[in-house]
Amino acid sequence: MSVMEFRKESPSSPVSGGAMDRVVVKKRIDKRILIAAGGGAALLLIVLFWLFAPSASSQSVSRERLGIAEVTNGVFEDFLPLRARVTPLVTVYLDAVEGGRVEAMAVEDGASVTKGQLLAVLSNADLQLSTLARQTEVEQQLNNMRSQELALQQTRSANMRDLNQAQTDLAKAQRQYNLQKPLADKGFVSSKQFNDTADDLNYQRERLAILKRSISQDEALQASQLAQLRASASSLNSSLGIARSSLSQLNIRAPATGQLSGFTIQLGQSLQRGERLGQIDSAGGNKLVADVDEFYLGRVQRGQSGTVEVEGKTFRMKVAKVLPQVRNGQFQVEMIFDGPEPKSIQRGQTLQHKLTLGDSSRAVLVPNGAFFNDTG
């Protein structure tokens, strides 16, 4: 059996870590260096933005959209190539003046018609009845006015008869007075009888003067009434003519000579007043209409010349009208043939047209490309 001995050590002072720990001093960057570095970075960003940022007058374009060509010396022809379409020189639209039901068709769409030719016949019962009622009313008013005019003429005739009678009575009284006056001076006629004759003469004179004044006033009034009646009769006759012409509008006729197109109405179809029925294109006359980029709006003017090639032949043309309204970045130009027109062109056909903008001259040539809509 072993024996272990335990010894009790006396307490001693605690162990300190002073020999192991030490103070670490933290190093800091100088503030002036930080401020200088930040200012340099900001300046570098500003310079890079100024060098690479797009300016207001620049445009970014992809390389595929760029047109690159060689610059050469040669004759510069200042012309504008256009794609123009053939259209009728004059187009007259055909509208329904009065509405109605289509009862008959005289021509078909695409036919050549002459001015005044019957195209179709409409029926409108309401219009026919109202026109007949209006015609009856106008005729009654005309009859009443004719009766008034007849009464005025009869009054004038009666006044003329009264005037003639008064003049005859005055002549008789004057003869009686002239006959009795010498006899009365010699005492062969009594004073009473002679005075009665003189009074009758004065009466006839006054009667004739009053009658003339009355007839003169009646003539002025009758003339005014007759003028008003005749003016009213003329107005009523015009109204009657308009009422009758309304019925004639049910017969649709060609307003001009040419080719009828867009005339697609059918038998039994009901048409409204003012409805578009078709159009008539001028016969034997055509023009070219082209869409031009708005960049050339200030350079294209009326009267400028151009050329168009048809089947190997060149035909001269001139600008007849410039429509300055810009739509979708383009405006329209109308051109007419300056001389004979090619016979082989068809309406709706597209032709290549060269519009001359200026005289030819020698210059450095760069092929013309597309333009930007915003800046030109």
Side-chain angles (χ1 to χ4, degrees):
M1 181 175 180
S2 59
V3 179
M4 297 182 63
E5 182 179 1
F6 294 92
R7 294 179 178 179
K8 186 177 180 181
E9 295 181 357
S10 60
S12 61
S13 60
V15 179
S16 66
M20 298 177 60
D21 298 334
R22 63 179 179 179
V23 179
V24 179
V25 180
K26 186 178 181 181
K27 296 181 180 180
R28 296 182 179 181
I29 302 175
D30 193 352
K31 292 183 178 180
R32 290 174 295 179
I33 297 176
L34 292 176
I35 294 174
L43 181 60
L44 179 60
L45 291 176
I46 292 174
V47 171
L48 292 176
F49 180 80
W50 181 77
L51 290 176
F52 296 101
S55 62
S57 60
S58 65
Q59 181 74 33
S60 299
V61 184
S62 62
R63 185 177 181 83
E64 291 76 11
R65 297 182 60 187
L66 292 178
I68 301 175
E70 182 181 359
V71 178
T72 60
N73 290 319
V75 179
F76 175 68
E77 296 181 1
D78 193 7
F79 70 91
L80 179 63
L82 300 174
R83 295 289 292 175
R85 59 187 177 276
V86 181
T87 59
L89 184 61
V90 179
T91 299
V92 180
Y93 292 105
L94 182 64
D95 296 336
V97 179
E98 296 291 342
R101 182 176 180 271
V102 180
E103 296 292 341
M105 296 282 296
V107 296
E108 297 293 335
D109 186 24
S112 296
V113 297
T114 58
K115 184 177 181 180
Q117 180 178 347
L118 181 65
L119 305 180
V121 178
L122 307 181
S123 64
N124 189 329
D126 293 337
L127 178 62
Q128 292 171 343
L129 291 176
S130 63
T131 301
L132 290 176
R134 178 61 178 167
Q135 181 176 350
T136 303
E137 180 183 356
V138 170
E139 289 177 351
Q140 289 179 352
Q141 294 180 0
L142 288 175
N143 290 332
N144 293 334
M145 293 173 60
R146 293 190 186 99
S147 299
Q148 294 179 5
E149 186 174 356
L150 179 61
L152 290 176
Q153 293 292 345
Q154 292 175 351
T155 302
R156 176 179 292 178
S157 299
N159 289 336
M160 297 303 297
R161 289 194 297 269
D162 294 340
L163 179 62
N164 187 25
Q165 183 65 39
Q167 290 174 343
T168 302
D169 294 341
L170 176 60
K172 290 180 180 179
Q174 185 67 47
R175 286 196 301 271
Q176 185 69 19
Y177 178 80
N178 293 336
L179 180 63
Q180 291 183 358
K181 188 175 186 308
L183 297 177
D185 294 339
K186 296 179 180 181
F188 294 106
V189 176
S190 63
S191 299
K192 180 180 181 303
Q193 185 179 358
F194 179 72
N195 290 334
D196 291 342
T197 301
D199 290 341
D200 184 58
L201 177 62
N202 292 331
Y203 166 74
Q204 295 298 337
R205 287 174 178 173
E206 291 294 334
R207 176 191 171 199
L208 180 60
I210 293 173
L211 188 58
K212 286 183 177 180
R213 288 195 297 270
S214 176
I215 291 176
S216 178
Q217 294 175 355
D218 289 345
E219 284 289 333
L221 181 59
Q222 289 173 3
S224 176
Q225 289 178 344
L226 285 174
Q228 292 179 357
L229 288 175
R230 286 166 184 169
S232 298
S234 177
S235 176
L236 288 174
N237 284 324
S238 299
S239 177
L240 182 59
I242 294 174
R244 289 173 177 172
S245 66
S246 298
L247 287 178
S248 66
Q249 297 296 339
L250 294 177
N251 296 328
I252 302 176
R253 299 184 180 274
T257 300
Q259 184 178 8
L260 181 65
S261 62
F263 193 68
T264 58
I265 62 176
Q266 302 295 328
L267 289 175
Q269 180 180 353
S270 296
L271 302 177
Q272 301 296 325
R273 175 183 295 183
E275 185 175 347
R276 179 63 50 83
L277 305 181
Q279 66 183 43
I280 298 178
D281 301 328
S282 59
N286 296 290
K287 63 184 177 182
L288 299 184
V289 178
D291 295 326
V292 186
D293 193 280
E294 61 179 341
F295 177 77
Y296 297 98
L297 183 58
R299 301 193 61 190
V300 179
Q301 298 178 358
R302 182 179 178 183
Q304 287 179 329
S305 61
T307 58
V308 62
E309 291 188 3
V310 181
E311 296 182 351
K313 296 182 180 180
T314 301
F315 295 87
R316 295 187 59 83
M317 306 199 69
K318 63 179 180 180
V319 177
K321 186 183 296 183
V322 178
L323 305 177
Q325 294 83 5
V326 177
R327 296 179 180 176
N328 299 325
Q330 294 179 326
F331 66 97
Q332 283 192 342
V333 176
E334 295 183 1
M335 296 159 288
I336 60 175
F337 287 93
D338 189 9
E341 179 179 331
K343 298 180 180 180
S344 60
I345 62 174
Q346 300 293 331
R347 292 172 184 176
Q349 181 181 357
T350 303
L351 301 176
Q352 187 68 33
H353 181 270
K354 292 173 63 176
L355 178 61
T356 302
L357 300 178
D359 298 332
S360 300
S361 61
R362 295 197 62 83
V364 177
L365 302 182
V366 180
N368 191 9
F371 297 96
F372 289 103
N373 292 332
D374 295 336
T375 63

